[in-house]
């Protein structure tokens, strides 16, 4: 059973926006992904079946869009307003997946950030925004993030945000050609009554949630020493 997910939807706080992935993003997507291929390869999901090729960009977008319309996924790009160009630039991706309603009301979250932007607080800020949206607008109860024990930078993100370590999951996901152990982290809505953005930033400034095009933002967000 899925929740009443509204799609497309964008979430904005300060210069950072989570917005839907689209076909028109391909050129910028390909450029950022190619530049980050060595940075991302150790953490990339892979197909365990023989001969399983990764999807093309078009296939990937169509699959994510279909899942979003089914209410089981929120496939967002992470974009940041460049004050010099007044343009929102692609700095990463965040997807909320396995969205389940009913008596479970839970989801999982995964993300990556451009290596050139690491250490600036983008990853934890994006995770906080996505989690608050799911808790406050979808009425989910629990958010889960699974991270390889070797991924020190991502571990730092969940530590900063106060996600609980729920232990090791053996051979949890097929990553970079092998079944890999993951540590599971979780947070429930009652643990952050004022929201995860407030916990991370200390600010009561509300997020902007809207469908369609996003607005420009004016204020900054806190610096972060390490981010995935």
């Amino acid at each position: 059973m899925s929740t009443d997910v509204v799609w497309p939807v964008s979430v904005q706080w300060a210069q950072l926006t989570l917005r839907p992935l689209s076909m028109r993003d391909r050129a910028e997507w390909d450029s950022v992904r190619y530049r980050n291929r060595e940075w991302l390869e150790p953490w990339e999901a892979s197909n365990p079946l023989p001969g399983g090729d990764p999807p093309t960009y078009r296939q990937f977008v169509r699959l994510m869009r279909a899942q979003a319309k089914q209410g089981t996924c929120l496939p967002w790009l992470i974009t940041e307003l460049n004050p010099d160009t007044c343009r929102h630039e692609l700095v990463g991706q965040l997807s909320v997946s396995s969205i389940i309603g009913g008596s479970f009301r839970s989801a999982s979250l995964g993300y990556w950030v451009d290596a050139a932007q690491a250490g600036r607080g983008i990853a934890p800020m994006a995770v906080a925004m996505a989690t608050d949206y799911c808790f406050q607008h979808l009425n989910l109860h629990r958010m889960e993030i699974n991270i390889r024990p070797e991924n020190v930078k991502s571990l730092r993100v969940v530590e900063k945000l106060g996600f609980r370590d729920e232990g090791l999951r053996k051979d949890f996901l097929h990553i970079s050609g092998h079944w890999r152990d993951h540590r599971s982290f979780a947070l429930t809505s009652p643990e952050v009554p004022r929201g995860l953005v407030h916990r991370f930033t200390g600010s009561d400034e509300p997020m902007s949630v809207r469908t369609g095009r996003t607005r420009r933002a004016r204020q900054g967000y806190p610096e972060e020493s390490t981010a995935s």
Side-chain angles (χ1 to χ4, degrees):
M1 180 186 299
S2 66
T3 59
D4 294 327
V5 173
V6 175
W7 192 258
V9 64
S10 298
V11 181
Q12 178 182 315
W13 197 93
Q15 285 91 356
L16 217 61
T17 299
L18 306 179
R19 68 163 177 82
L21 175 73
S22 73
M23 295 293 184
R24 68 178 181 274
D25 296 307
R26 178 166 187 171
E28 190 174 16
W29 167 275
D30 284 346
S31 175
V32 173
R33 295 282 301 183
Y34 182 79
R35 188 173 69 247
N36 284 271
R37 59 193 183 283
E38 294 182 3
W39 166 261
L40 297 174
E41 185 178 3
W43 323 113
E44 291 279 86
S46 49
N47 191 335
L49 300 178
D53 294 327
T56 65
Y57 180 81
R58 182 175 295 273
Q59 291 170 337
F60 175 63
V61 172
R62 285 178 173 171
L63 175 62
M64 293 295 97
R65 186 177 293 168
Q67 291 179 358
K69 290 181 178 180
Q70 292 168 2
T72 62
C73 179
L74 296 168
W76 278 314
L77 294 182
I78 308 171
T79 66
E80 183 183 27
L81 178 66
N82 184 326
D84 296 328
T85 63
C86 295
R87 180 177 174 274
H88 288 267
E89 298 178 350
L90 173 62
V91 293
Q93 181 192 0
L94 183 149
S95 294
V96 179
S97 60
S98 302
I99 301 174
I100 300 175
S103 57
F104 192 45
R105 308 207 69 80
S106 179
S108 297
L109 187 154
Y111 56 89
W112 60 264
V113 168
D114 186 346
Q117 306 298 332
R120 299 181 49 241
I122 290 175
M125 191 67 223
V127 170
M129 291 165 61
T131 300
D132 279 357
Y133 177 78
C134 289
F135 285 170
Q136 298 168 7
H137 294 267
L138 300 184
N139 295 315
L140 294 188
H141 175 71
R142 184 177 186 273
M143 182 65 75
E144 179 177 298
I145 301 177
N146 296 287
I147 302 172
R148 286 183 57 186
E150 303 88 351
N151 194 342
V152 176
K153 293 185 183 297
S154 274
L155 293 175
R156 180 65 173 155
V157 170
V158 291
E159 177 186 345
K160 277 284 190 180
L161 294 173
F163 277 74
R164 286 175 288 98
D165 189 344
E166 296 191 333
L168 188 72
R169 305 176 85 167
K170 182 70 175 174
D171 292 344
F172 180 66
L173 286 174
H174 201 265
I175 302 290
S176 190
H178 300 277
W179 290 104
R180 310 283 189 176
D181 297 346
H182 282 64
R183 285 170 61 186
S184 184
F185 297 83
L187 194 66
T188 61
S189 179
E191 293 177 275
V192 282
R194 298 183 66 181
L196 201 51
V197 168
H198 174 81
R199 172 187 282 185
F200 182 56
T201 66
S203 172
D204 290 318
E205 181 75 17
M207 295 191 307
S208 170
V209 177
R210 55 184 291 169
T211 59
R213 299 178 62 184
T214 57
R215 297 178 299 177
R216 296 178 183 177
R218 299 181 184 86
Q219 72 183 93
Y221 53 91
E223 298 246 338
E224 173 71 27
S225 59
T226 55
S228 174

